[in-house]
Amino acid sequence: MSTGEGATRGAWSWKRWSTVGAAVLCGLAYLVAGLRGGDHTFAFVGLGLMLAIAVLLLVLARTSETVAGLLDRRDERINRIDGDATSFAGMTLVAAVLVGFVVEVARGQDGQPYAALGAIAGVAYVVALVVLRIRR
């Protein structure tokens, strides 16, 4: 193991903890939403699932260079892989939203919530283009 790998695996930066914390917060949000909506199964399964993911991230960060790199964001190569994977996932989701919209319209519906999701994606894309263009 090189010095860089050891530093990546050993250092527990706030970025690593923020990702784990986000998983815990999502679980708590599921708990609150489920209890408020009267769906106790969703509440506790959602919380349990997100807590399991948080623990899994902690365990994998100690054994996987990729997971550690994704959590601490110091490895440029892994950051690029993450960016490409995020782009692919985003484009797949946009395609699914567009297909869902077309299917709903073909069924005589108004296309909601697909139209709203597509609009959000489109606005986010344009805002990102403008902000990234200004920054670079």
mmCIF file of all heavy atoms in Angstrom, residues 64-105:
data_model
loop_
_atom_site.group_PDB
_atom_site.id
_atom_site.type_symbol
_atom_site.label_atom_id
_atom_site.label_comp_id
_atom_site.label_asym_id
_atom_site.label_seq_id
_atom_site.Cartn_x
_atom_site.Cartn_y
_atom_site.Cartn_z
ATOM 1 N N SER A 64 -12.283 -0.762 1.152
ATOM 2 C CA SER A 64 -12.347 -0.493 -0.276
ATOM 3 C C SER A 64 -11.757 0.880 -0.589
ATOM 4 O O SER A 64 -12.250 1.902 -0.096
ATOM 5 C CB SER A 64 -13.794 -0.548 -0.764
ATOM 6 O OG SER A 64 -13.906 -0.018 -2.072
ATOM 7 N N GLU A 65 -10.739 0.882 -1.418
ATOM 8 C CA GLU A 65 -10.129 2.148 -1.820
ATOM 9 C C GLU A 65 -11.131 3.010 -2.589
ATOM 10 O O GLU A 65 -11.147 4.237 -2.451
ATOM 11 C CB GLU A 65 -8.902 1.880 -2.689
ATOM 12 C CG GLU A 65 -8.186 3.138 -3.122
ATOM 13 C CD GLU A 65 -6.989 2.848 -4.009
ATOM 14 O OE1 GLU A 65 -6.670 1.681 -4.253
ATOM 15 O OE2 GLU A 65 -6.385 3.822 -4.468
ATOM 16 N N THR A 66 -11.982 2.382 -3.372
ATOM 17 C CA THR A 66 -12.976 3.128 -4.149
ATOM 18 C C THR A 66 -13.976 3.820 -3.231
ATOM 19 O O THR A 66 -14.246 5.014 -3.391
ATOM 20 C CB THR A 66 -13.709 2.184 -5.126
ATOM 21 O OG1 THR A 66 -12.742 1.590 -5.986
ATOM 22 C CG2 THR A 66 -14.740 2.941 -5.944
ATOM 23 N N VAL A 67 -14.534 3.084 -2.280
ATOM 24 C CA VAL A 67 -15.504 3.680 -1.360
ATOM 25 C C VAL A 67 -14.833 4.770 -0.531
ATOM 26 O O VAL A 67 -15.394 5.861 -0.352
ATOM 27 C CB VAL A 67 -16.154 2.614 -0.459
ATOM 28 C CG1 VAL A 67 -17.044 3.264 0.597
ATOM 29 C CG2 VAL A 67 -16.950 1.633 -1.298
ATOM 30 N N ALA A 68 -13.629 4.514 -0.042
ATOM 31 C CA ALA A 68 -12.907 5.533 0.723
ATOM 32 C C ALA A 68 -12.693 6.782 -0.126
ATOM 33 O O ALA A 68 -12.882 7.909 0.341
ATOM 34 C CB ALA A 68 -11.570 4.983 1.214
ATOM 35 N N GLY A 69 -12.316 6.598 -1.389
ATOM 36 C CA GLY A 69 -12.105 7.735 -2.280
ATOM 37 C C GLY A 69 -13.374 8.507 -2.551
ATOM 38 O O GLY A 69 -13.368 9.730 -2.627
ATOM 39 N N LEU A 70 -14.493 7.783 -2.711
ATOM 40 C CA LEU A 70 -15.772 8.456 -2.935
ATOM 41 C C LEU A 70 -16.214 9.248 -1.713
ATOM 42 O O LEU A 70 -16.856 10.290 -1.839
ATOM 43 C CB LEU A 70 -16.843 7.437 -3.312
ATOM 44 C CG LEU A 70 -16.722 6.842 -4.714
ATOM 45 C CD1 LEU A 70 -17.671 5.666 -4.874
ATOM 46 C CD2 LEU A 70 -16.969 7.902 -5.781
ATOM 47 N N LEU A 71 -15.863 8.770 -0.540
ATOM 48 C CA LEU A 71 -16.270 9.461 0.675
ATOM 49 C C LEU A 71 -15.387 10.660 1.004
ATOM 50 O O LEU A 71 -15.881 11.666 1.486
ATOM 51 C CB LEU A 71 -16.298 8.491 1.861
ATOM 52 C CG LEU A 71 -17.383 7.420 1.811
ATOM 53 C CD1 LEU A 71 -17.266 6.498 3.013
ATOM 54 C CD2 LEU A 71 -18.760 8.040 1.745
ATOM 55 N N ASP A 72 -14.085 10.573 0.757
ATOM 56 C CA ASP A 72 -13.232 11.697 1.156
ATOM 57 C C ASP A 72 -12.912 12.671 0.031
ATOM 58 O O ASP A 72 -12.430 13.760 0.273
ATOM 59 C CB ASP A 72 -11.955 11.221 1.855
ATOM 60 C CG ASP A 72 -10.985 10.512 0.936
ATOM 61 O OD1 ASP A 72 -10.995 10.752 -0.282
ATOM 62 O OD2 ASP A 72 -10.199 9.701 1.454
ATOM 63 N N ARG A 73 -13.175 12.266 -1.237
ATOM 64 C CA ARG A 73 -13.095 13.145 -2.405
ATOM 65 C C ARG A 73 -11.704 13.700 -2.692
ATOM 66 O O ARG A 73 -11.570 14.735 -3.322
ATOM 67 C CB ARG A 73 -14.072 14.325 -2.284
ATOM 68 C CG ARG A 73 -15.466 13.978 -1.840
ATOM 69 C CD ARG A 73 -16.140 12.986 -2.692
ATOM 70 N NE ARG A 73 -16.432 13.535 -4.005
ATOM 71 C CZ ARG A 73 -16.864 12.833 -5.013
ATOM 72 N NH1 ARG A 73 -17.053 11.549 -4.873
ATOM 73 N NH2 ARG A 73 -17.110 13.370 -6.167
ATOM 74 N N ARG A 74 -10.645 13.013 -2.280
ATOM 75 C CA ARG A 74 -9.290 13.507 -2.536
ATOM 76 C C ARG A 74 -8.636 12.884 -3.759
ATOM 77 O O ARG A 74 -7.626 13.366 -4.223
ATOM 78 C CB ARG A 74 -8.399 13.270 -1.317
ATOM 79 C CG ARG A 74 -8.777 14.167 -0.151
ATOM 80 C CD ARG A 74 -7.822 13.993 0.974
ATOM 81 N NE ARG A 74 -8.176 12.751 1.668
ATOM 82 C CZ ARG A 74 -7.535 12.275 2.708
ATOM 83 N NH1 ARG A 74 -6.511 12.905 3.182
ATOM 84 N NH2 ARG A 74 -7.916 11.164 3.277
ATOM 85 N N ASP A 75 -9.209 11.812 -4.293
ATOM 86 C CA ASP A 75 -8.627 11.098 -5.425
ATOM 87 C C ASP A 75 -9.284 11.589 -6.714
ATOM 88 O O ASP A 75 -10.469 11.356 -6.950
ATOM 89 C CB ASP A 75 -8.853 9.589 -5.238
ATOM 90 C CG ASP A 75 -8.180 8.753 -6.307
ATOM 91 O OD1 ASP A 75 -8.191 9.151 -7.484
ATOM 92 O OD2 ASP A 75 -7.669 7.675 -5.969
ATOM 93 N N GLU A 76 -8.505 12.270 -7.558
ATOM 94 C CA GLU A 76 -9.060 12.847 -8.786
ATOM 95 C C GLU A 76 -9.616 11.784 -9.727
ATOM 96 O O GLU A 76 -10.634 12.004 -10.384
ATOM 97 C CB GLU A 76 -7.996 13.678 -9.498
ATOM 98 C CG GLU A 76 -7.633 14.946 -8.761
ATOM 99 C CD GLU A 76 -6.553 15.743 -9.466
ATOM 100 O OE1 GLU A 76 -6.390 15.582 -10.694
ATOM 101 O OE2 GLU A 76 -5.877 16.526 -8.786
ATOM 102 N N ARG A 77 -8.954 10.648 -9.820
ATOM 103 C CA ARG A 77 -9.422 9.578 -10.705
ATOM 104 C C ARG A 77 -10.790 9.065 -10.256
ATOM 105 O O ARG A 77 -11.707 8.910 -11.063
ATOM 106 C CB ARG A 77 -8.402 8.440 -10.725
ATOM 107 C CG ARG A 77 -8.789 7.297 -11.629
ATOM 108 C CD ARG A 77 -7.691 6.206 -11.613
ATOM 109 N NE ARG A 77 -8.287 4.923 -11.856
ATOM 110 C CZ ARG A 77 -8.785 4.104 -10.939
ATOM 111 N NH1 ARG A 77 -8.732 4.418 -9.673
ATOM 112 N NH2 ARG A 77 -9.321 2.950 -11.268
ATOM 113 N N ILE A 78 -10.936 8.808 -8.971
ATOM 114 C CA ILE A 78 -12.204 8.320 -8.449
ATOM 115 C C ILE A 78 -13.275 9.404 -8.570
ATOM 116 O O ILE A 78 -14.428 9.112 -8.878
ATOM 117 C CB ILE A 78 -12.050 7.801 -7.009
ATOM 118 C CG1 ILE A 78 -11.208 6.516 -7.028
ATOM 119 C CG2 ILE A 78 -13.400 7.550 -6.357
ATOM 120 C CD1 ILE A 78 -10.898 5.923 -5.695
ATOM 121 N N ASN A 79 -12.898 10.665 -8.377
ATOM 122 C CA ASN A 79 -13.849 11.756 -8.550
ATOM 123 C C ASN A 79 -14.369 11.816 -9.984
ATOM 124 O O ASN A 79 -15.550 12.071 -10.223
ATOM 125 C CB ASN A 79 -13.235 13.096 -8.165
ATOM 126 C CG ASN A 79 -13.071 13.249 -6.681
ATOM 127 O OD1 ASN A 79 -13.723 12.573 -5.893
ATOM 128 N ND2 ASN A 79 -12.188 14.146 -6.280
ATOM 129 N N ARG A 80 -13.487 11.566 -10.946
ATOM 130 C CA ARG A 80 -13.892 11.571 -12.353
ATOM 131 C C ARG A 80 -14.834 10.394 -12.647
ATOM 132 O O ARG A 80 -15.839 10.550 -13.343
ATOM 133 C CB ARG A 80 -12.658 11.507 -13.259
ATOM 134 C CG ARG A 80 -12.961 11.504 -14.714
ATOM 135 C CD ARG A 80 -13.605 12.803 -15.133
ATOM 136 N NE ARG A 80 -14.077 12.631 -16.498
ATOM 137 C CZ ARG A 80 -14.849 13.449 -17.119
ATOM 138 N NH1 ARG A 80 -15.244 14.543 -16.524
ATOM 139 N NH2 ARG A 80 -15.234 13.210 -18.338
ATOM 140 N N ILE A 81 -14.506 9.235 -12.107
ATOM 141 C CA ILE A 81 -15.380 8.065 -12.267
ATOM 142 C C ILE A 81 -16.748 8.360 -11.652
ATOM 143 O O ILE A 81 -17.796 8.069 -12.242
ATOM 144 C CB ILE A 81 -14.749 6.807 -11.633
ATOM 145 C CG1 ILE A 81 -13.502 6.391 -12.430
ATOM 146 C CG2 ILE A 81 -15.753 5.668 -11.530
ATOM 147 C CD1 ILE A 81 -12.661 5.325 -11.740
ATOM 148 N N ASP A 82 -16.755 8.974 -10.485
ATOM 149 C CA ASP A 82 -18.002 9.334 -9.816
ATOM 150 C C ASP A 82 -18.796 10.327 -10.661
ATOM 151 O O ASP A 82 -20.019 10.200 -10.801
ATOM 152 C CB ASP A 82 -17.713 9.923 -8.433
ATOM 153 C CG ASP A 82 -18.974 10.359 -7.720
ATOM 154 O OD1 ASP A 82 -19.918 9.554 -7.620
ATOM 155 O OD2 ASP A 82 -19.027 11.524 -7.266
ATOM 156 N N GLY A 83 -18.118 11.305 -11.237
ATOM 157 C CA GLY A 83 -18.797 12.277 -12.095
ATOM 158 C C GLY A 83 -19.423 11.623 -13.313
ATOM 159 O O GLY A 83 -20.558 11.941 -13.693
ATOM 160 N N ASP A 84 -18.684 10.707 -13.930
ATOM 161 C CA ASP A 84 -19.219 9.995 -15.093
ATOM 162 C C ASP A 84 -20.422 9.125 -14.708
ATOM 163 O O ASP A 84 -21.424 9.073 -15.429
ATOM 164 C CB ASP A 84 -18.137 9.132 -15.740
ATOM 165 C CG ASP A 84 -17.047 9.948 -16.417
ATOM 166 O OD1 ASP A 84 -17.252 11.170 -16.629
ATOM 167 O OD2 ASP A 84 -15.988 9.375 -16.729
ATOM 168 N N ALA A 85 -20.321 8.445 -13.568
ATOM 169 C CA ALA A 85 -21.428 7.597 -13.110
ATOM 170 C C ALA A 85 -22.651 8.452 -12.759
ATOM 171 O O ALA A 85 -23.789 8.086 -13.076
ATOM 172 C CB ALA A 85 -20.997 6.765 -11.902
ATOM 173 N N THR A 86 -22.416 9.598 -12.144
ATOM 174 C CA THR A 86 -23.509 10.507 -11.800
ATOM 175 C C THR A 86 -24.182 11.037 -13.063
ATOM 176 O O THR A 86 -25.413 11.110 -13.148
ATOM 177 C CB THR A 86 -22.988 11.672 -10.939
ATOM 178 O OG1 THR A 86 -22.421 11.129 -9.744
ATOM 179 C CG2 THR A 86 -24.094 12.638 -10.572
ATOM 180 N N SER A 87 -23.382 11.388 -14.055
ATOM 181 C CA SER A 87 -23.926 11.861 -15.326
ATOM 182 C C SER A 87 -24.776 10.779 -15.988
ATOM 183 O O SER A 87 -25.883 11.049 -16.477
ATOM 184 C CB SER A 87 -22.782 12.288 -16.249
ATOM 185 O OG SER A 87 -23.268 12.704 -17.485
ATOM 186 N N PHE A 88 -24.275 9.555 -16.006
ATOM 187 C CA PHE A 88 -25.026 8.442 -16.595
ATOM 188 C C PHE A 88 -26.344 8.217 -15.861
ATOM 189 O O PHE A 88 -27.401 8.057 -16.482
ATOM 190 C CB PHE A 88 -24.187 7.163 -16.588
ATOM 191 C CG PHE A 88 -24.906 5.977 -17.148
ATOM 192 C CD1 PHE A 88 -25.072 5.825 -18.517
ATOM 193 C CD2 PHE A 88 -25.441 5.017 -16.305
ATOM 194 C CE1 PHE A 88 -25.763 4.738 -19.037
ATOM 195 C CE2 PHE A 88 -26.122 3.924 -16.811
ATOM 196 C CZ PHE A 88 -26.284 3.782 -18.188
ATOM 197 N N ALA A 89 -26.293 8.219 -14.534
ATOM 198 C CA ALA A 89 -27.509 8.022 -13.743
ATOM 199 C C ALA A 89 -28.499 9.160 -13.988
ATOM 200 O O ALA A 89 -29.710 8.924 -14.129
ATOM 201 C CB ALA A 89 -27.174 7.927 -12.263
ATOM 202 N N GLY A 90 -27.999 10.381 -14.049
ATOM 203 C CA GLY A 90 -28.870 11.528 -14.298
ATOM 204 C C GLY A 90 -29.537 11.462 -15.661
ATOM 205 O O GLY A 90 -30.740 11.717 -15.801
ATOM 206 N N MET A 91 -28.765 11.110 -16.689
ATOM 207 C CA MET A 91 -29.333 11.002 -18.035
ATOM 208 C C MET A 91 -30.345 9.854 -18.119
ATOM 209 O O MET A 91 -31.368 9.978 -18.791
ATOM 210 C CB MET A 91 -28.226 10.832 -19.075
ATOM 211 C CG MET A 91 -27.347 12.063 -19.219
ATOM 212 S SD MET A 91 -28.271 13.583 -19.555
ATOM 213 C CE MET A 91 -28.948 13.222 -21.157
ATOM 214 N N THR A 92 -30.070 8.767 -17.416
ATOM 215 C CA THR A 92 -31.011 7.649 -17.376
ATOM 216 C C THR A 92 -32.314 8.074 -16.710
ATOM 217 O O THR A 92 -33.411 7.765 -17.197
ATOM 218 C CB THR A 92 -30.389 6.449 -16.629
ATOM 219 O OG1 THR A 92 -29.181 6.080 -17.292
ATOM 220 C CG2 THR A 92 -31.338 5.266 -16.573
ATOM 221 N N LEU A 93 -32.208 8.817 -15.623
ATOM 222 C CA LEU A 93 -33.391 9.293 -14.917
ATOM 223 C C LEU A 93 -34.183 10.285 -15.771
ATOM 224 O O LEU A 93 -35.418 10.218 -15.837
ATOM 225 C CB LEU A 93 -33.001 9.929 -13.585
ATOM 226 C CG LEU A 93 -34.152 10.399 -12.704
ATOM 227 C CD1 LEU A 93 -35.119 9.261 -12.410
ATOM 228 C CD2 LEU A 93 -33.606 10.992 -11.428
ATOM 229 N N VAL A 94 -33.498 11.193 -16.463
ATOM 230 C CA VAL A 94 -34.180 12.140 -17.345
ATOM 231 C C VAL A 94 -34.903 11.381 -18.456
ATOM 232 O O VAL A 94 -36.054 11.699 -18.789
ATOM 233 C CB VAL A 94 -33.190 13.182 -17.912
ATOM 234 C CG1 VAL A 94 -33.799 13.962 -19.063
ATOM 235 C CG2 VAL A 94 -32.741 14.137 -16.811
ATOM 236 N N ALA A 95 -34.261 10.382 -19.029
ATOM 237 C CA ALA A 95 -34.907 9.580 -20.073
ATOM 238 C C ALA A 95 -36.153 8.887 -19.524
ATOM 239 O O ALA A 95 -37.200 8.859 -20.191
ATOM 240 C CB ALA A 95 -33.928 8.548 -20.642
ATOM 241 N N ALA A 96 -36.072 8.344 -18.313
ATOM 242 C CA ALA A 96 -37.224 7.679 -17.707
ATOM 243 C C ALA A 96 -38.359 8.668 -17.453
ATOM 244 O O ALA A 96 -39.537 8.346 -17.667
ATOM 245 C CB ALA A 96 -36.813 6.997 -16.401
ATOM 246 N N VAL A 97 -38.023 9.865 -17.013
ATOM 247 C CA VAL A 97 -39.041 10.904 -16.792
ATOM 248 C C VAL A 97 -39.720 11.274 -18.105
ATOM 249 O O VAL A 97 -40.950 11.393 -18.178
ATOM 250 C CB VAL A 97 -38.418 12.147 -16.111
ATOM 251 C CG1 VAL A 97 -39.360 13.346 -16.169
ATOM 252 C CG2 VAL A 97 -38.054 11.832 -14.661
ATOM 253 N N LEU A 98 -38.927 11.432 -19.160
ATOM 254 C CA LEU A 98 -39.498 11.775 -20.464
ATOM 255 C C LEU A 98 -40.402 10.658 -20.989
ATOM 256 O O LEU A 98 -41.494 10.916 -21.502
ATOM 257 C CB LEU A 98 -38.397 12.098 -21.467
ATOM 258 C CG LEU A 98 -37.622 13.390 -21.184
ATOM 259 C CD1 LEU A 98 -36.450 13.527 -22.144
ATOM 260 C CD2 LEU A 98 -38.527 14.600 -21.253
ATOM 261 N N VAL A 99 -39.960 9.414 -20.852
ATOM 262 C CA VAL A 99 -40.787 8.285 -21.284
ATOM 263 C C VAL A 99 -42.071 8.234 -20.458
ATOM 264 O O VAL A 99 -43.174 8.039 -21.007
ATOM 265 C CB VAL A 99 -39.999 6.956 -21.195
ATOM 266 C CG1 VAL A 99 -40.923 5.748 -21.351
ATOM 267 C CG2 VAL A 99 -38.888 6.926 -22.230
ATOM 268 N N GLY A 100 -41.952 8.416 -19.158
ATOM 269 C CA GLY A 100 -43.133 8.428 -18.296
ATOM 270 C C GLY A 100 -44.114 9.522 -18.696
ATOM 271 O O GLY A 100 -45.334 9.298 -18.741
ATOM 272 N N PHE A 101 -43.603 10.693 -19.034
ATOM 273 C CA PHE A 101 -44.450 11.799 -19.472
ATOM 274 C C PHE A 101 -45.196 11.439 -20.747
ATOM 275 O O PHE A 101 -46.419 11.621 -20.852
ATOM 276 C CB PHE A 101 -43.601 13.059 -19.680
ATOM 277 C CG PHE A 101 -44.368 14.203 -20.269
ATOM 278 C CD1 PHE A 101 -45.232 14.947 -19.485
ATOM 279 C CD2 PHE A 101 -44.244 14.530 -21.613
ATOM 280 C CE1 PHE A 101 -45.956 15.999 -20.018
ATOM 281 C CE2 PHE A 101 -44.964 15.575 -22.156
ATOM 282 C CZ PHE A 101 -45.816 16.315 -21.364
ATOM 283 N N VAL A 102 -44.465 10.914 -21.722
ATOM 284 C CA VAL A 102 -45.083 10.555 -23.005
ATOM 285 C C VAL A 102 -46.144 9.472 -22.810
ATOM 286 O O VAL A 102 -47.242 9.544 -23.385
ATOM 287 C CB VAL A 102 -44.003 10.114 -24.020
ATOM 288 C CG1 VAL A 102 -44.629 9.498 -25.262
ATOM 289 C CG2 VAL A 102 -43.112 11.292 -24.387
ATOM 290 N N VAL A 103 -45.860 8.467 -21.997
ATOM 291 C CA VAL A 103 -46.825 7.394 -21.750
ATOM 292 C C VAL A 103 -48.083 7.961 -21.083
ATOM 293 O O VAL A 103 -49.210 7.622 -21.464
ATOM 294 C CB VAL A 103 -46.188 6.272 -20.900
ATOM 295 C CG1 VAL A 103 -47.236 5.298 -20.378
ATOM 296 C CG2 VAL A 103 -45.119 5.540 -21.706
ATOM 297 N N GLU A 104 -47.906 8.828 -20.095
ATOM 298 C CA GLU A 104 -49.062 9.427 -19.419
ATOM 299 C C GLU A 104 -49.913 10.248 -20.376
ATOM 300 O O GLU A 104 -51.138 10.162 -20.362
ATOM 301 C CB GLU A 104 -48.596 10.314 -18.254
ATOM 302 C CG GLU A 104 -48.175 9.526 -17.039
ATOM 303 C CD GLU A 104 -49.354 8.838 -16.377
ATOM 304 O OE1 GLU A 104 -50.294 9.527 -15.927
ATOM 305 O OE2 GLU A 104 -49.330 7.590 -16.305
ATOM 306 N N VAL A 105 -49.284 11.044 -21.228
ATOM 307 C CA VAL A 105 -50.024 11.843 -22.206
ATOM 308 C C VAL A 105 -50.745 10.923 -23.187
ATOM 309 O O VAL A 105 -51.911 11.160 -23.546
ATOM 310 C CB VAL A 105 -49.093 12.838 -22.929
ATOM 311 C CG1 VAL A 105 -49.795 13.504 -24.097
ATOM 312 C CG2 VAL A 105 -48.582 13.898 -21.945
#
